[in-house]
Amino acid sequence: MAKAARTLQNGAGEGGLFDRELDHLPPEARWREWMMRVEAVIFASAEPVTREMLAPLVGRDCSIDLLIEDIVNELAGRPYEIVAVAGGWQFRTRPRMAGVLKAAFGGSTMAADITEGEMLVLATIAYHQPVTRAGLSDILGREVSRDTIGQLRRLDLIASGPRSPQPGAPYTYVTTRKFLEHFGLDSLRDLPDLEALEDAGLVSQSAAGAHTTPANDEDSTDPWS
């Protein structure tokens, strides 16, 4: 009995090897141990934890999705939750706690570093990527400066995409994994529907229907690469 308890606590089987199957445990205890392992790893990680990272910690026939679902249900009454972010899972405080956190710690550092104009450019890149700087200017109806692009790159929210097939092969820009993490998105498919944003008056019809356009020759080199 004591040996089994130590094995459960350490996650090790005979010979000290990591025991992912836990065949010595009854099904309910085995499932509970797998839940604890998954929750512990997600809790300890500063970045989203992928399925590939979790798979070696549980039985080969174990459903990670069902484990996550059970953990989420157990956290229902807590001020934090596990959410799908950037292709993995991460602990996040619940949205309704935002006011409490702001009162305690102030605003988000990254949010404070992004101006309204930069946020507009970032949103345009998110919906029209890959897009050149000249393409952004055409969509938004005003010049998008190199400084704006540089700031978004310094925050690791955008990166260089493939070169455009337009004359001069200018660089395009795309959003990053950090972008998904910051805005709590599992993938770009989770972006709000552009037509819905247009109906709500949050984007213009021209921005919603625009496409990437040819860039100027000055964009043919990337000063931040």
Side-chain angles (χ1 to χ4, degrees):
M1 182 75 173
K3 180 179 179 181
R6 287 195 300 271
T7 301
L8 175 60
Q9 181 178 5
N10 298 330
E14 295 297 331
L17 297 177
F18 187 81
D19 182 6
R20 61 183 293 187
E21 298 296 340
L22 301 176
D23 290 331
H24 62 285
L25 295 177
E28 185 175 347
R30 184 186 312 140
W31 188 262
R32 173 61 57 180
E33 171 65 12
W34 286 337
M35 286 176 60
M36 291 174 60
R37 291 178 178 183
V38 168
E39 184 175 352
V41 171
I42 296 175
F43 179 83
S45 177
E47 298 182 353
V49 177
T50 64
R51 186 182 304 274
E52 290 72 24
M53 295 172 63
L54 295 174
L57 308 179
V58 300
R60 290 176 178 82
D61 296 327
C62 175
S63 170
I64 292 176
D65 290 314
L66 291 179
L67 279 178
I68 296 289
E69 183 178 332
D70 281 356
I71 296 171
V72 167
N73 289 336
E74 287 201 347
L75 296 175
R78 310 301 298 172
Y80 45 82
E81 60 185 337
I82 290 179
V83 296
V85 177
W89 291 277
Q90 189 173 40
F91 267 95
R92 293 284 180 93
T93 52
R94 296 188 184 276
R96 65 186 181 85
M97 293 288 105
V100 176
L101 297 177
K102 185 175 182 180
F105 304 111
S108 166
T109 301
M110 182 176 290
D113 288 340
I114 303 177
T115 66
E116 183 177 344
E118 290 164 351
M119 187 64 75
L120 179 60
V121 171
L122 178 60
T124 305
I125 293 173
Y127 281 101
H128 295 278
Q129 60 186 304
V131 59
T132 64
R133 186 164 68 91
L136 290 169
S137 296
D138 286 345
I139 292 170
L140 296 173
R142 61 178 177 80
E143 180 69 17
V144 174
S145 71
R146 291 180 182 274
D147 289 341
T148 296
I149 296 296
Q151 172 67 354
L152 294 176
R153 287 188 59 119
R154 281 189 290 272
L155 294 172
D156 195 24
L157 294 173
I158 65 169
S160 295
R163 284 186 178 269
S164 169
Q166 303 297 333
Y171 276 95
T172 62
Y173 297 100
V174 296
T175 53
T176 62
R177 178 185 175 92
K178 185 72 173 181
F179 169 85
L180 296 176
E181 292 179 19
H182 181 68
F183 291 100
L185 303 174
D186 188 25
S187 72
L188 292 175
R189 291 188 295 272
D190 295 324
L191 284 168
D193 182 76
L194 198 55
E195 291 185 1
L197 294 180
E198 179 187 344
D199 292 340
L202 298 178
V203 297
S204 66
Q205 291 185 357
S206 59
H211 298 282
T212 302
T213 56
N216 298 325
D217 289 341
E218 66 176 359
D219 283 315
S220 60
T221 58
D222 184 357
W224 300 282
S225 60

